[in-house]
């Protein structure tokens, strides 16, 4: 007798599977469901359930190249958001030790040790000096 695992492997052969867009879609649907718990809207319920159904059907799709290009388009939008979010969280984590300031000459972001008051900083990239004020 064939095991369930082997049947599942045979079923998923040649199908697309799970990608970051799948997780994003499910996360968005979950968010819509949570909002829907407060506003109790039928439209929101249909949209969130439709989104889940769409993501599951994408996973079972045999048109792999099309699904892959959809995911690439999603990642083109998502990766800059993810990167800026990561930078934002790092700045919050290091708020007691460092301050981040942008060099007015070359626009490069510098990580500076906390030194309260106004003082001059020399940019290591363009070697220009500029004034930095750290209040808190
Ligand atoms: Zn600079």
């Amino acid at each position: 007798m064939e095991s369930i695992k082997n049947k599942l492997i045979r079923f998923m052969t040649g199908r697309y599977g799970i990608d970051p867009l799948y997780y994003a879609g499910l996360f968005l649907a979950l968010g819509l469901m949570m909002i829907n718990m407060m506003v109790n809207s039928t439209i929101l319920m249909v949209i969130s359930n439709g989104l889940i159904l769409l993501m599951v059907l994408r996973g079972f799709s045999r048109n792999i190249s099309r699904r892959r290009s959809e995911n690439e388009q999603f990642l083109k939008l998502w990766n800059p958001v993810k990167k800026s979010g990561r930078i934002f969280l790092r700045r919050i984590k290091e708020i007691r030790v460092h301050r981040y300031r942008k060099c007015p000459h070359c626009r490069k972001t510098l990580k500076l040790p906390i030194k309260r008051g106004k003082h001059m900083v020399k940019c290591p990239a363009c070697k220009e000096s500029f004034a930095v004020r750290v209040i808190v």
Side-chain angles (χ1 to χ4, degrees):
M1 201 176 109
E2 196 178 13
S3 72
I4 294 172
K5 186 183 169 191
N6 283 342
K7 280 183 183 172
L8 191 67
I9 288 171
R10 206 154 40 86
F11 178 71
M12 287 307 288
T13 304
R15 295 179 192 269
Y16 184 63
I18 291 170
D19 63 1
L21 180 56
Y22 171 84
Y23 288 117
L26 288 191
F27 195 74
L28 182 64
L30 195 71
L32 289 175
M33 282 176 169
M34 287 170 94
I35 292 169
N36 197 26
M37 286 188 337
M38 290 178 267
V39 295
N40 209 8
S41 147
T42 311
I43 298 166
L44 222 52
M45 186 194 75
V46 168
I47 291 172
S48 62
N49 288 343
L51 204 56
I52 291 172
L53 185 69
L54 187 72
M55 290 303 124
V56 170
L57 290 177
R58 275 189 82 246
F60 292 144
S61 170
R62 289 184 190 275
N63 193 350
I64 291 174
S65 62
R66 181 82 189 267
R67 301 290 89 81
R68 195 169 285 159
S69 78
E70 286 169 3
N71 185 50
E72 280 168 10
Q73 285 174 349
F74 164 71
L75 288 178
K76 244 181 239 171
L77 294 172
W78 174 243
N79 282 340
V81 174
K82 189 174 150 187
K83 187 181 172 190
S84 63
R86 194 178 291 152
I87 289 170
F88 179 73
L89 288 178
R90 198 170 103 196
R91 285 181 182 194
I92 287 177
K93 209 168 121 187
E94 295 182 0
I95 202 160
R96 288 171 173 266
V97 204
H98 296 107
R99 288 293 184 272
Y100 290 84
R101 294 291 187 272
K102 206 167 249 178
C103 171
H105 307 287
C106 67
R107 311 301 298 160
K108 188 176 168 57
T109 303
L110 307 176
K111 181 176 161 181
L112 306 168
I114 292 180
K115 191 172 156 190
R116 289 185 195 347
K118 191 175 179 182
H119 57 277
M120 296 303 281
V121 170
K122 189 176 179 183
C123 174
C126 67
K127 313 290 184 206
E128 293 282 339
S129 292
F130 60 98
V132 169
R133 174 177 271 164
V134 177
I135 298 167
V136 183

